[in-house]
Amino acid sequence: KPNLVTYSTMMSRAVSLGKPRVALRLWNLMRNQPNFYTNVLSRKLRAGRIICDDAEQLMGRAGLQALEADETVIVPDVICCNTLMNAYAKLGDNVMARSVLNSMLGANNDGDEKMLCHEGIPMTTPTVVTYNTLADACKVAGELGEALEVLQLMKHHASKTGENSVVPDAMTYTILIGTCARKSKQQQQSR
């Protein structure tokens, strides 16, 4: 039976072959599997095996680790989330890529586009690859302001958590320079 590694690998391969829409279909297929973590939680809630207060705790890091211990349950990890973001990046959909990051950070939907969350993404710690993928999505979309905002998000995350692994790197700045060049070219063409 397919597991997280199977789906993540197929999604990654689809993106690398220039077929990001196939990767998104694979994501939806994975999400609809009976052993996807949100479906497992729903069944447990309906069966009365957990109460609503427990459900919120289960969605936290400790609860997800307990579900991950059961190898039959599919709980997306940072690699799977980055692959999903990369599919959106290749399509130039920086809004959906941002929704993946918002969900990874544990944000809730409140109607604000910046806080749009992606269904099925658990709280997990983003990496520098996560932020660079979001910046790349902004580059493809031609959104210089959004790309620069990603740089600020990275710096904020690094200072808040003390994680040096999430500070902007050479790839971050390469993406930002590419975004500036793309925006400049767009402005020249519109004249």
Coordinates of all heavy atoms in Angstrom, one line a residue, residues 37-59 67:
Y37 N -3.8 11.2 7.8 CA -3.9 11.5 9.2 C -5.2 12.2 9.5 O -5.8 12.0 10.6 CB -2.7 12.3 9.7 CG -2.7 13.7 9.5 CD1 -3.0 14.7 10.5 CD2 -2.4 14.2 8.2 CE1 -2.9 16.0 10.3 CE2 -2.4 15.6 8.0 CZ -2.6 16.5 9.0 OH -2.6 17.8 8.8
T38 N -5.7 13.2 8.7 CA -6.9 13.9 9.0 C -8.1 12.9 8.9 O -9.1 13.1 9.7 CB -7.1 15.1 8.1 OG1 -7.1 14.6 6.7 CG2 -6.1 16.2 8.3
N39 N -8.1 12.0 8.0 CA -9.2 11.0 7.9 C -9.2 10.0 9.1 O -10.2 9.7 9.6 CB -9.1 10.2 6.6 CG -9.1 11.1 5.4 OD1 -9.8 12.2 5.5 ND2 -8.5 10.7 4.3
V40 N -8.0 9.7 9.6 CA -7.8 8.8 10.8 C -8.4 9.6 12.0 O -9.2 9.0 12.8 CB -6.4 8.4 11.0 CG1 -6.2 7.7 12.4 CG2 -5.9 7.5 9.9
L41 N -8.1 10.8 12.1 CA -8.6 11.6 13.3 C -10.1 11.8 13.2 O -10.8 11.6 14.2 CB -8.0 13.0 13.3 CG -6.5 13.1 13.7 CD1 -6.0 14.5 13.6 CD2 -6.4 12.6 15.2
S42 N -10.6 12.0 12.0 CA -12.1 12.1 11.8 C -12.8 10.9 12.2 O -13.8 10.9 12.9 CB -12.4 12.4 10.4 OG -12.0 13.7 10.0
R43 N -12.3 9.7 11.8 CA -12.9 8.4 12.2 C -12.9 8.3 13.7 O -13.8 7.8 14.3 CB -12.2 7.3 11.5 CG -12.6 7.1 10.1 CD -12.2 5.7 9.5 NE -10.8 5.4 9.7 CZ -9.8 5.9 8.9 NH1 -10.1 6.6 7.8 NH2 -8.6 5.6 9.1
K44 N -11.8 8.6 14.3 CA -11.7 8.5 15.8 C -12.6 9.4 16.5 O -13.2 9.0 17.5 CB -10.2 8.7 16.3 CG -9.3 7.6 15.9 CD -7.9 7.9 16.4 CE -7.0 6.7 16.1 NZ -5.7 6.8 16.8
L45 N -12.8 10.6 16.0 CA -13.7 11.6 16.6 C -15.2 11.1 16.5 O -15.9 11.1 17.4 CB -13.6 12.9 15.9 CG -12.6 13.9 16.4 CD1 -12.4 15.1 15.4 CD2 -13.0 14.4 17.8
R46 N -15.5 10.6 15.3 CA -16.9 10.0 15.0 C -17.2 8.8 15.9 O -18.3 8.6 16.4 CB -17.1 9.7 13.6 CG -17.3 10.9 12.7 CD -17.9 10.5 11.3 NE -17.1 9.6 10.6 CZ -16.1 9.9 9.8 NH1 -15.8 11.1 9.5 NH2 -15.4 8.9 9.2
A47 N -16.1 8.0 16.1 CA -16.3 6.8 16.9 C -16.3 7.1 18.4 O -16.6 6.2 19.2 CB -15.2 5.8 16.6
G48 N -16.0 8.3 18.8 CA -16.0 8.7 20.2 C -14.8 8.3 20.9 O -14.8 8.3 22.1
R49 N -13.8 7.9 20.2 CA -12.5 7.4 20.9 C -11.7 8.6 21.3 O -10.8 8.4 22.2 CB -11.7 6.5 19.9 CG -12.4 5.1 19.8 CD -11.5 4.2 19.1 NE -11.8 4.4 17.7 CZ -11.2 3.9 16.7 NH1 -10.1 3.2 16.9 NH2 -11.5 4.1 15.4
I50 N -11.9 9.8 20.8 CA -11.3 11.0 21.3 C -12.3 12.0 21.4 O -13.3 12.0 20.6 CB -10.1 11.4 20.4 CG1 -10.5 11.6 19.0 CG2 -8.9 10.5 20.5 CD1 -9.4 12.2 18.1
I51 N -12.2 13.0 22.3 CA -13.1 14.1 22.4 C -12.5 15.3 21.8 O -11.3 15.3 21.5 CB -13.5 14.3 23.9 CG1 -12.2 14.6 24.8 CG2 -14.3 13.2 24.5 CD1 -12.5 14.9 26.2
C52 N -13.3 16.3 21.5 CA -12.8 17.5 20.8 C -11.6 18.1 21.4 O -10.7 18.6 20.7 CB -13.9 18.5 20.6 SG -15.1 17.9 19.4
D53 N -11.5 18.2 22.7 CA -10.3 18.8 23.4 C -9.1 18.0 23.0 O -8.0 18.6 22.8 CB -10.5 18.9 24.9 CG -11.6 19.8 25.3 OD1 -12.0 20.7 24.5 OD2 -12.1 19.7 26.4
D54 N -9.2 16.7 23.0 CA -8.1 15.8 22.6 C -7.7 16.1 21.2 O -6.5 16.0 20.8 CB -8.4 14.4 22.8 CG -8.6 14.0 24.3 OD1 -8.1 14.7 25.1 OD2 -9.3 13.0 24.6
A55 N -8.7 16.3 20.3 CA -8.4 16.5 18.9 C -7.4 17.7 18.6 O -6.5 17.6 17.8 CB -9.7 16.7 18.1
E56 N -7.6 18.8 19.4 CA -6.7 19.9 19.2 C -5.3 19.5 19.6 O -4.4 19.9 19.0 CB -7.3 21.1 20.0 CG -6.6 22.4 19.7 CD -7.2 23.6 20.3 OE1 -8.4 23.8 20.0 OE2 -6.6 24.3 21.0
Q57 N -5.2 18.8 20.7 CA -3.9 18.3 21.2 C -3.3 17.4 20.1 O -2.1 17.4 19.9 CB -4.0 17.6 22.5 CG -4.3 18.6 23.7 CD -4.4 17.9 25.0 OE1 -4.8 16.7 25.0 NE2 -4.1 18.6 26.1
L58 N -4.1 16.5 19.5 CA -3.6 15.6 18.5 C -3.0 16.3 17.3 O -2.1 15.8 16.7 CB -4.7 14.6 18.1 CG -4.9 13.4 18.9 CD1 -6.1 12.6 18.4 CD2 -3.6 12.5 18.9
M59 N -3.6 17.5 17.0 CA -3.1 18.2 15.9 C -1.7 18.9 16.2 O -1.1 19.4 15.3 CB -4.1 19.2 15.4 CG -5.4 18.6 14.8 SD -5.0 17.4 13.5 CE -4.6 18.4 12.2
L67 N 0.8 9.8 15.9 CA 0.3 9.2 14.6 C 1.4 8.7 13.7 O 1.2 7.7 13.0 CB -0.6 10.3 13.9 CG -2.0 10.5 14.5 CD1 -2.6 11.7 13.7 CD2 -2.9 9.3 14.4

